[in-house]
Structures are given as structure tokens and as C-alpha cells.
Amino acid sequence: MRPEQIAQVRPRLVEFTTTMLGELNGYHQPAKGELYVRGLLTDGRRKSMQPMAERLGVDHQQLQQFITSSSWDHEPVRANLARWAAQTIDPQAYVADDSGFPKDGDASSCVARQYCGALGKKANCQIGVSVQMVDDHASLAANWRLFCPESWDDTTVNDAAQAARVRTRRKRAGIPEQVRHREKWRLVLDMLDQMNNEWGLPKLPLTADSGYGDATEFRLGLEERGYRYAVAVQPTASAYPLDATPELKPYGGRGRRPRPRYRIAPANLRELALAAGQPSFVEVCWRHGTRTSTTNPTAAMTSNFLAIRVRPANRDIPRGDDGTLPARWLLIEWPDGAAEPTDYWLSNLDEDTPLVDLVRLAKIRWRVEHDYRELKTGLGLDHFEGRTFTGWHRHVTLVCLAQAFCTLLRLDPKARAPA
């Protein structure tokens, strides 16, 4: 926003940030938080502390002290934002994803050479894992964890000298002792536990890309917690047709009694999709966009889909007493003009779930791309130049507060400034 637009909505910004930030262990802290958020909202190419301070006309030490050395806890702020989103946005699903934060040097907390989605290749970066609360019309990046690579966890290092260097590095970056290397999908489960058990949020259906959906343990973890999901998977994942049944070999009287098991190898998802045939797919509209045309006046977003019941095959999946694997939905997309299906999802939604509901849940992940674009391009999510673990989480939390305020303005038809 331009400074004059900020001035128009400033009273609402002060009220909103004060409510979300709470007391923050200090009388002046909410005011400093509002100043930082105002800096994120004000137009400017960079949203790091020095450029923001110049635009705000303040000493950048005020911003730096608030982010790096003050004592406030970002977790209650995230809880406030998430509860606000639950009431205001009325989210229909959670979306799990991660995003890369390219970095120079090796001093920033948890930075390592790893795949960076923002660059589409391996690079020196941090990885932030997020859980978004989404609806087709609004969303909030509600919860975040900074992924800790093994190179930042001294408990994964066998060499004593190297482990000591890692501990020194962790201390300089202010990484808490309890923060250790955990797979990204485990971080998502941790965040869902926090959102449900501590923040009191409902167990909404969840969707995610194949980086999460391909992890059988992740899907099982969601099911154990009572979450519904529709997660993308690779076509090479294996499954049995619904009518496949385990067989029990006759007992010969010696040794351990045989247990029922499948006597044929499972197929991969691509094979099951091709066996169903393209004529089995039907056109589904999952939402209406904004780009209308003479040929598509309602901006309907459509493609061809098929949902079939399958039994995903993996040794970690619990089997019934009769040896059967549980049945799940396989959702497949085969766009017009494509030589074969392009996208696959597994879902544990109820057996009588309409096809359009499966498609809508799978496709609502588009909001994440919208969020990351707005958070990075407009609000400076990846502009933080500090090195500490706590500073990163505080900056990200305040960026999400700025995003929530933009959403508040968009949802208010009487808002006097664009957001």
C-alpha cells in the first residue's frame, strides 16, 4: 500500500494488530509489532529491516530489537491469527506445503544445500514448512516450522569433532535444544496436533502435494488422528484393485500357520488408470476463476476425472484379520488433449463421497500458490536477513499477520484502501 492508503486504514491496523499481538510481555511491544507490520504493508521492493525503517522514518534498531532480542513469544500470536481465520474465513480445508528461502552463506539458522522449490533446483536455502487454512476465496498461512536438516543436528553426527562444530553453529543461530531433524511430513503432523490440541481448531480435511502424499506414514498419521485427506501421489505408487482378495494356503500341519495374503503383485496407479480407459472419465468443474472469455464466460475451471476404489499396497499399512488392505479412493485427472492421465491423488473420504467433492478438495491446493506469491512478492516473507531461529519465526508470524489484515480489508466491502 502507498503511505496515504496506510494512513486511511491505520486505526483498523492498530486495532487488529493489538488484538492479535496481545500484551507480548511488554507495554510497548504491540506498538512495535504494529510498526513492523506497517513496514511490511508499505510499498517497497525490499521488506528487510533497513529499507522498512527508512520508509517508516524510524531507526532500524527498533525493528531489529523487536525481532531479534525482545522476549515475546510468536506462538500465541499464531494461535490468535488461526482462531480469527477459523471464524472469519470459515476455511474448508488445510493445505500442507513447504517453500524455499534462498540464502547466501551458511550462518542463517538451518540453511543448507537442498532442493529449493522457489528456484526449481538444489541451492543454498532454508525450507519453511507451512499449514494453510483455506477456502476458495480466502486463506491464511496459519502455522510454520523451519525445517532442520541433518547437518544442523549434532545428534545425527557420529564424529565428535564435527558434532561439536554443529553445536557451536546451533548456539550462534539460537536453535532451541528440542529442535532436531524431523522429516517435513512429521513437522506437518506436529503442527496439526498443535492446532487441534492447543489452539482448539477443528480437524478439517487436508490436501498436499506428492512430497507428502507419497509418504505412507504421513497418510497413516493423518488417519490415526482422525483427519480426512486427498493427497497427491506419484503414478508409480502401488495398489491392488478393490476386488483383489488375499488367499489362505492350506496348512500342512508343521510350522507356523499361514496367514492370508495377496498372491499377485500389485499394479501401479498408472496401470490402474489406463485399464479404466479414457471413456470412463467425466468432466468436472471444481471452481470458477476470474479470467472470463467469450468461450468460457463463467471462467469455469474444468477437466476430466475418474475416482475408483483401490487398496494401496505398502508393508506399513495395517491389514485386516483376513489379510485385506483398506480401500481408499484413487482420484485421477486426464485433461483433454493429454496422451495419458497427468495427476493422481489418494483419499480416505467416505465411500459415498461425490466425485466433485473429491476434486474440489484435491484442487483447493491452488490457494497455497496464491499465498506464497502474495507473502513473498507483496509482504516480504523471504526478505528476512537475520540469522536466528527465533527471528525467522517472528518475522514469518508478522508477515502472516499482515496477510490476515489484507484479507480483513478484502472481505470488508467498506474498506477504503486496496489490499
Side-chain angles (χ1 to χ4, degrees):
M1 298 181 195
R2 298 189 303 274
E4 61 271 21
Q5 293 172 327
I6 291 284
Q8 289 179 352
V9 299
R10 179 81 186 281
R12 298 188 67 186
L13 177 61
V14 171
E15 179 185 8
F16 186 70
T17 54
T18 300
T19 301
M20 294 299 111
L21 294 173
E23 296 183 0
L24 292 186
N25 300 326
Y27 180 77
H28 298 293
Q29 297 287 39
K32 293 179 181 179
E34 186 272 333
L35 181 68
Y36 196 94
V37 174
R38 187 161 24 110
L40 296 171
L41 291 169
T42 303
D43 286 345
R45 185 174 181 181
R46 289 291 298 175
K47 301 297 176 73
S48 52
M49 294 182 198
Q50 189 81 42
M52 285 200 303
E54 291 176 1
R55 289 190 289 270
L56 293 167
V58 301
D59 185 346
H60 83 280
Q61 293 292 338
Q62 292 188 47
L63 303 181
Q64 185 170 352
Q65 186 275 337
F66 178 65
I67 293 296
T68 61
S69 57
S70 58
S71 60
W72 64 280
D73 186 357
H74 63 271
E75 294 286 2
V77 180
R78 289 187 182 172
N80 289 341
L81 286 168
R83 295 182 187 116
W84 170 86
Q87 295 180 354
T88 306
I89 297 175
D90 189 22
Q92 302 304 302
Y94 297 129
V95 181
D97 210 333
D98 54 76
S99 186
F101 298 71
K103 290 289 181 181
D104 295 324
D106 61 358
S108 296
S109 59
C110 299
V111 69
R113 183 167 178 80
Q114 52 197 328
Y115 180 79
C116 178
L119 301 177
K121 61 180 181 180
K122 278 192 173 183
N124 205 54
C125 68
Q126 298 167 309
I127 300 293
V129 182
S130 67
V131 174
Q132 262 94 332
M133 303 170 67
V134 304
D135 180 75
D136 274 333
H137 305 291
S139 54
L140 175 74
N143 211 351
W144 288 85
R145 293 287 187 277
L146 185 57
F147 171 68
C148 181
E150 289 184 89
S151 59
W152 281 83
D153 185 352
D154 57 285
T155 64
T156 67
V157 180
N158 295 324
D159 181 79
Q162 177 63 20
R165 287 192 289 270
V166 174
R167 284 193 292 272
T168 299
R169 196 181 182 201
R170 286 172 59 91
K171 185 176 181 180
R172 288 174 179 169
I175 299 178
E177 181 65 24
Q178 70 271 18
V179 174
R180 297 293 170 181
H181 171 71
R182 285 174 70 77
E183 296 92 333
K184 299 180 184 74
W185 60 265
R186 291 191 192 275
L187 295 179
V188 171
L189 294 179
D190 292 344
M191 286 188 279
L192 291 174
D193 288 343
Q194 180 185 42
M195 294 166 73
N196 179 244
N197 299 333
E198 298 178 23
W199 299 357
L201 299 183
K203 294 183 177 181
L204 301 177
L206 179 138
T207 186
D209 66 19
S210 60
Y212 297 87
D214 281 336
T216 301
E217 290 174 289
F218 177 62
R219 301 197 308 269
L220 293 176
L222 291 173
E223 293 178 5
E224 290 168 1
R225 289 163 170 79
Y227 283 91
R228 300 295 191 181
Y229 62 79
V231 291
V233 289
Q234 292 296 319
T236 52
S238 58
Y240 291 99
L242 179 64
D243 57 1
T245 55
E247 297 178 9
L248 180 63
K249 285 188 174 181
Y251 179 52
R254 291 184 177 182
R256 182 180 301 175
R257 286 184 175 275
R259 300 185 63 183
R261 67 182 186 89
Y262 295 93
R263 303 296 171 179
I264 59 172
N268 62 49
L269 303 186
R270 177 179 178 272
E271 292 168 341
L272 294 174
L274 293 176
Q278 192 171 15
S280 302
F281 288 68
V282 297
E283 185 178 78
V284 175
C285 171
W286 63 89
R287 73 181 180 93
H288 292 271
T290 57
R291 297 182 180 180
T292 60
S293 65
T294 55
T295 57
N296 189 4
T298 64
M301 307 193 73
T302 63
S303 188
N304 304 315
F305 295 89
L306 174 67
I308 57 176
R309 301 289 283 175
V310 300
R311 300 183 186 276
N314 185 287
R315 63 183 180 182
D316 295 324
I317 299 176
R319 287 158 168 75
D321 293 338
D322 61 354
T324 57
L325 288 160
R328 298 290 179 261
W329 282 114
L330 169 60
L331 176 66
I332 314 153
E333 180 180 2
W334 194 333
D336 288 333
E340 63 177 70
T342 57
D343 294 281
Y344 300 78
W345 296 265
L346 288 175
S347 174
N348 67 339
L349 266 64
D350 292 339
E351 187 175 353
D352 58 353
T353 301
L355 175 61
V356 66
D357 290 349
L358 283 166
V359 174
R360 284 174 178 164
L361 176 57
K363 287 291 188 177
I364 205 169
R365 186 183 164 274
W366 75 273
R367 285 295 315 188
V368 170
E369 305 304 327
H370 173 277
D371 276 357
Y372 284 161
R373 184 170 60 251
E374 178 180 61
L375 291 166
K376 290 188 172 185
T377 304
L379 298 173
L381 180 68
D382 57 351
H383 294 182
F384 181 62
E385 295 176 352
R387 296 178 175 179
T388 67
F389 183 89
T390 299
W392 185 91
H393 280 277
R394 287 174 174 173
H395 171 78
V396 168
T397 299
L398 294 174
V399 169
C400 294
L401 198 162
Q403 180 200 24
F405 183 70
C406 291
T407 300
L408 178 70
L409 296 182
R410 290 192 191 102
L411 296 177
D412 184 357
K414 297 180 181 179
R416 294 181 292 173

